[in-house]
Amino acid sequence: MKEKIWLSSPHLTGEEQKYVKQAFDDNWVAPLGPNVNGLEQDICNYTGSKSCSVLSSGTAAIHLALILLGIEENDEVICSSFTFSASANPIRYQKAIPVFVDSEKDTWNMCPVLLEEAIKDRIRKGKTPKAIILVHLYGMPAKMDEILGVASQYKIPIIEDAAEALGAFYKDKAMGTFGELGIFSFNGNKIITTSGGGALVSDNPEYCKRATFLATQARDDAPHYEHTTIGFNYRMSNILAGIGRGQMEVLDDRVKAKRNVFDTYVKALESIKEIKFLYESKDTFSNRWLTTILLENYDQREMVRLALQDENIEARPLWKPMHLQPIFNTFPKYTNGISEDLFRKGLCLPSGSNMTNLQQQRVIDAILKLF
Ligand SMILES: *Cc1c(COP(=O)(O)O)cnc(C)c1O
């Protein structure tokens, strides 16, 4: 059996251990400490956000963002349909109602035209949506000017799910910093990792302060344990934050490597008429977390996926839209067929920043053989 090539595997430098060792040496083995504060500062410095709270996961960050915006039972929250379920699950933690909005063709993210249609229709039906969860999928920025225009017209706050988009920019501004709140993920497969973790960012420091309070069991200021609100155990540990600090040092290198992987695939496969790539539009800078391709139809997509599988190469279909998921398909949706089509024809190729040239050539050769 040939050596396995993964979609995107953790890529450590070893420098992370310097911060982790410091945590051991100082006995800061707790969900607080210098690495926790340091990582928050690093994220603010990198993204230009005014405040940050590091948490146990990106999912926890979305959950707290919804709570901070006051989302309660039966409130409606608009969410990109073309995404990973973790974008939408926290809506249900709050017993709120997800309203799914389909994609546009240029970035595959939420369609601004359909977003406005959805808002108008929800208002007609009696309820103004309370928030918009906007995803930048595979590290590609959404059409921010248009989306922000619609959101501000109807005064609906945006939570940016930038779990896949740390290191991506729109008009030189970091993804995650456009909305009222933004979230990042440091799961093992993301562009940088703490093994598991996430962050909430906002230009309103009160939000992040409140998030940290809620994430550490909502302890009021008293010598004993006093609680006036329900808390969570969502804080990041000082050990994992140490890994995060080491990873932040190489974030730009990781983005460069991911973009290089994309460019290499394009050069090798662009001339195959059956294969289409997603290019950046004007003003957008993708981190190219995963390189994605579109084939002409489902059968071709499966042919490529299975051929790669035979070579012990991991490739995965694009995200199955939320409005098609058994757990979400009864909720309101505004669709145009685009995400469904992408799901049928699309494939993620191995895109690890630690993939060698030889490994990438193996993927390319396996695909070239088919066309
Ligand atoms: C990974 C991911 C999340 C969840 O992040 P976790 O840290 O794994 O909880 C949310 N949204 C998107 C789009 C993701 O890819």
Side-chain angles (χ1 to χ4, degrees), residues 98-115:
V99 174
F100 294 110
V101 173
D102 213 326
S103 302
E104 36 80 9
K105 281 191 172 137
D106 299 334
T107 76
W108 299 357
N109 293 306
M110 189 184 283
C111 172
V113 178
L114 215 46
L115 170 65

mmCIF file of all heavy atoms in Angstrom, residues 98-115:
data_model
loop_
_atom_site.group_PDB
_atom_site.id
_atom_site.type_symbol
_atom_site.label_atom_id
_atom_site.label_comp_id
_atom_site.label_asym_id
_atom_site.label_seq_id
_atom_site.Cartn_x
_atom_site.Cartn_y
_atom_site.Cartn_z
ATOM 1 N N PRO A 98 -32.946 28.059 12.393
ATOM 2 C CA PRO A 98 -32.057 28.426 11.288
ATOM 3 C C PRO A 98 -32.859 28.682 10.013
ATOM 4 O O PRO A 98 -33.818 27.976 9.727
ATOM 5 C CB PRO A 98 -31.158 27.189 11.118
ATOM 6 C CG PRO A 98 -31.909 26.052 11.712
ATOM 7 C CD PRO A 98 -32.884 26.616 12.714
ATOM 8 N N VAL A 99 -32.452 29.722 9.287
ATOM 9 C CA VAL A 99 -33.038 30.018 7.977
ATOM 10 C C VAL A 99 -31.870 29.967 6.991
ATOM 11 O O VAL A 99 -30.959 30.792 7.059
ATOM 12 C CB VAL A 99 -33.696 31.420 7.967
ATOM 13 C CG1 VAL A 99 -34.177 31.776 6.567
ATOM 14 C CG2 VAL A 99 -34.838 31.485 8.980
ATOM 15 N N PHE A 100 -31.894 28.972 6.116
ATOM 16 C CA PHE A 100 -30.726 28.730 5.272
ATOM 17 C C PHE A 100 -30.786 29.512 3.966
ATOM 18 O O PHE A 100 -31.833 29.575 3.313
ATOM 19 C CB PHE A 100 -30.572 27.237 4.994
ATOM 20 C CG PHE A 100 -30.251 26.462 6.246
ATOM 21 C CD1 PHE A 100 -31.182 25.592 6.816
ATOM 22 C CD2 PHE A 100 -29.024 26.635 6.878
ATOM 23 C CE1 PHE A 100 -30.884 24.898 7.979
ATOM 24 C CE2 PHE A 100 -28.720 25.949 8.044
ATOM 25 C CZ PHE A 100 -29.643 25.078 8.599
ATOM 26 N N VAL A 101 -29.645 30.107 3.614
ATOM 27 C CA VAL A 101 -29.537 30.873 2.370
ATOM 28 C C VAL A 101 -28.439 30.268 1.498
ATOM 29 O O VAL A 101 -27.337 29.982 1.976
ATOM 30 C CB VAL A 101 -29.269 32.371 2.657
ATOM 31 C CG1 VAL A 101 -28.983 33.132 1.375
ATOM 32 C CG2 VAL A 101 -30.458 32.988 3.390
ATOM 33 N N ASP A 102 -28.745 30.085 0.247
ATOM 34 C CA ASP A 102 -27.870 29.409 -0.721
ATOM 35 C C ASP A 102 -26.696 30.298 -1.162
ATOM 36 O O ASP A 102 -26.582 31.447 -0.742
ATOM 37 C CB ASP A 102 -28.709 28.985 -1.935
ATOM 38 C CG ASP A 102 -28.220 27.687 -2.563
ATOM 39 O OD1 ASP A 102 -27.000 27.441 -2.547
ATOM 40 O OD2 ASP A 102 -29.071 26.933 -3.081
ATOM 41 N N SER A 103 -25.879 29.759 -2.040
ATOM 42 C CA SER A 103 -24.615 30.387 -2.454
ATOM 43 C C SER A 103 -24.740 31.149 -3.768
ATOM 44 O O SER A 103 -25.710 30.967 -4.514
ATOM 45 C CB SER A 103 -23.560 29.299 -2.648
ATOM 46 O OG SER A 103 -23.385 28.569 -1.466
ATOM 47 N N GLU A 104 -23.729 31.963 -4.060
ATOM 48 C CA GLU A 104 -23.563 32.507 -5.414
ATOM 49 C C GLU A 104 -22.358 31.814 -6.056
ATOM 50 O O GLU A 104 -21.591 31.151 -5.370
ATOM 51 C CB GLU A 104 -23.416 34.040 -5.417
ATOM 52 C CG GLU A 104 -22.641 34.667 -4.266
ATOM 53 C CD GLU A 104 -21.150 34.585 -4.411
ATOM 54 O OE1 GLU A 104 -20.670 34.198 -5.489
ATOM 55 O OE2 GLU A 104 -20.465 34.899 -3.412
ATOM 56 N N LYS A 105 -22.196 32.009 -7.369
ATOM 57 C CA LYS A 105 -21.219 31.217 -8.122
ATOM 58 C C LYS A 105 -19.778 31.710 -7.984
ATOM 59 O O LYS A 105 -18.849 30.937 -8.199
ATOM 60 C CB LYS A 105 -21.584 31.216 -9.610
ATOM 61 C CG LYS A 105 -22.702 30.248 -9.938
ATOM 62 C CD LYS A 105 -22.839 30.088 -11.445
ATOM 63 C CE LYS A 105 -23.827 28.977 -11.776
ATOM 64 N NZ LYS A 105 -24.724 29.333 -12.866
ATOM 65 N N ASP A 106 -19.589 32.989 -7.675
ATOM 66 C CA ASP A 106 -18.235 33.557 -7.746
ATOM 67 C C ASP A 106 -17.355 33.172 -6.571
ATOM 68 O O ASP A 106 -16.139 33.057 -6.711
ATOM 69 C CB ASP A 106 -18.303 35.092 -7.832
ATOM 70 C CG ASP A 106 -19.043 35.547 -9.077
ATOM 71 O OD1 ASP A 106 -19.051 34.775 -10.065
ATOM 72 O OD2 ASP A 106 -19.627 36.637 -9.063
ATOM 73 N N THR A 107 -17.943 33.036 -5.372
ATOM 74 C CA THR A 107 -17.144 32.681 -4.188
ATOM 75 C C THR A 107 -17.673 31.420 -3.496
ATOM 76 O O THR A 107 -17.062 30.923 -2.569
ATOM 77 C CB THR A 107 -17.146 33.820 -3.138
ATOM 78 O OG1 THR A 107 -18.405 33.831 -2.457
ATOM 79 C CG2 THR A 107 -16.908 35.184 -3.789
ATOM 80 N N TRP A 108 -18.867 30.970 -3.906
ATOM 81 C CA TRP A 108 -19.585 29.834 -3.320
ATOM 82 C C TRP A 108 -20.163 30.167 -1.949
ATOM 83 O O TRP A 108 -20.729 29.308 -1.275
ATOM 84 C CB TRP A 108 -18.702 28.580 -3.195
ATOM 85 C CG TRP A 108 -18.169 28.054 -4.486
ATOM 86 C CD1 TRP A 108 -18.422 28.531 -5.751
ATOM 87 C CD2 TRP A 108 -17.306 26.924 -4.661
ATOM 88 N NE1 TRP A 108 -17.760 27.768 -6.684
ATOM 89 C CE2 TRP A 108 -17.060 26.781 -6.049
ATOM 90 C CE3 TRP A 108 -16.713 26.025 -3.791
ATOM 91 C CZ2 TRP A 108 -16.256 25.781 -6.566
ATOM 92 C CZ3 TRP A 108 -15.911 25.016 -4.292
ATOM 93 C CH2 TRP A 108 -15.672 24.896 -5.667
ATOM 94 N N ASN A 109 -20.017 31.408 -1.517
ATOM 95 C CA ASN A 109 -20.553 31.798 -0.216
ATOM 96 C C ASN A 109 -21.953 32.398 -0.361
ATOM 97 O O ASN A 109 -22.493 32.460 -1.471
ATOM 98 C CB ASN A 109 -19.590 32.773 0.453
ATOM 99 C CG ASN A 109 -18.281 32.076 0.800
ATOM 100 O OD1 ASN A 109 -18.293 31.038 1.466
ATOM 101 N ND2 ASN A 109 -17.172 32.622 0.331
ATOM 102 N N MET A 110 -22.523 32.858 0.754
ATOM 103 C CA MET A 110 -23.905 33.324 0.788
ATOM 104 C C MET A 110 -24.201 34.340 -0.319
ATOM 105 O O MET A 110 -23.471 35.314 -0.489
ATOM 106 C CB MET A 110 -24.222 33.937 2.145
ATOM 107 C CG MET A 110 -25.691 34.241 2.350
ATOM 108 S SD MET A 110 -25.989 35.080 3.926
ATOM 109 C CE MET A 110 -25.881 33.723 5.074
ATOM 110 N N CYS A 111 -25.280 34.099 -1.058
ATOM 111 C CA CYS A 111 -25.674 34.992 -2.153
ATOM 112 C C CYS A 111 -26.360 36.231 -1.570
ATOM 113 O O CYS A 111 -27.388 36.108 -0.899
ATOM 114 C CB CYS A 111 -26.616 34.258 -3.107
ATOM 115 S SG CYS A 111 -27.337 35.346 -4.339
ATOM 116 N N PRO A 112 -25.824 37.431 -1.831
ATOM 117 C CA PRO A 112 -26.412 38.643 -1.257
ATOM 118 C C PRO A 112 -27.839 38.914 -1.752
ATOM 119 O O PRO A 112 -28.663 39.434 -1.010
ATOM 120 C CB PRO A 112 -25.474 39.764 -1.696
ATOM 121 C CG PRO A 112 -24.379 39.148 -2.485
ATOM 122 C CD PRO A 112 -24.596 37.692 -2.597
ATOM 123 N N VAL A 113 -28.110 38.544 -3.015
ATOM 124 C CA VAL A 113 -29.448 38.772 -3.575
ATOM 125 C C VAL A 113 -30.472 37.896 -2.849
ATOM 126 O O VAL A 113 -31.541 38.355 -2.417
ATOM 127 C CB VAL A 113 -29.464 38.472 -5.091
ATOM 128 C CG1 VAL A 113 -30.855 38.657 -5.669
ATOM 129 C CG2 VAL A 113 -28.443 39.343 -5.815
ATOM 130 N N LEU A 114 -30.092 36.627 -2.682
ATOM 131 C CA LEU A 114 -30.976 35.682 -1.995
ATOM 132 C C LEU A 114 -31.108 36.045 -0.509
ATOM 133 O O LEU A 114 -32.167 35.858 0.090
ATOM 134 C CB LEU A 114 -30.371 34.278 -2.140
ATOM 135 C CG LEU A 114 -31.311 33.089 -2.283
ATOM 136 C CD1 LEU A 114 -32.412 33.363 -3.277
ATOM 137 C CD2 LEU A 114 -30.516 31.854 -2.689
ATOM 138 N N LEU A 115 -30.039 36.592 0.051
ATOM 139 C CA LEU A 115 -30.082 37.031 1.454
ATOM 140 C C LEU A 115 -31.167 38.092 1.625
ATOM 141 O O LEU A 115 -31.984 38.017 2.556
ATOM 142 C CB LEU A 115 -28.715 37.583 1.880
ATOM 143 C CG LEU A 115 -28.682 38.301 3.233
ATOM 144 C CD1 LEU A 115 -28.999 37.340 4.379
ATOM 145 C CD2 LEU A 115 -27.307 38.958 3.466
#
